[in-house]
Amino acid sequence: RYTYTGPELGAGASTSWGGVVADVGSGTQTISASTPEAVTIALDFGGMLATSTMRLAAAGEGTEVTWAFDAALPIPLDGGFFF
């Protein structure tokens, strides 16, 4: 189930999701800033907060997108986690 609130596009546009399937979970994403150079999205994954930023730059006949994801994780990422 998806719910859309706020304006159709730009800052304040928001999507919330939730359902009965445990693997999907629930959450909300809201555009907090939108310019021709970048889009920043505030994310709430059922209590885990994060920020996603997509930076946009002209690249030849297309657009180069650089994506960043920032979140405080409840586990240390000291290298041992991945091995």
Side-chain angles (χ1 to χ4, degrees):
R1 180 183 83 228
Y2 293 95
T3 303
Y4 303 97
T5 59
E8 285 189 28
L9 52 91
S14 184
T15 302
S16 297
W17 64 91
V20 295
V21 179
D23 291 347
V24 174
S26 63
T28 302
Q29 62 179 11
T30 303
I31 298 174
S32 53
S34 179
T35 68
E37 295 81 28
V39 177
T40 303
I41 300 170
L43 301 153
D44 181 345
F45 298 109
M48 185 185 109
L49 305 179
T51 301
S52 174
T53 303
M54 291 169 270
R55 290 180 183 82
L56 312 169
E61 294 184 29
T63 303
E64 178 180 10
V65 179
T66 304
W67 178 63
F69 185 85
D70 298 303
L73 299 176
I75 55 171
L77 296 180
D78 60 3
F81 177 76
F82 294 103
F83 300 101

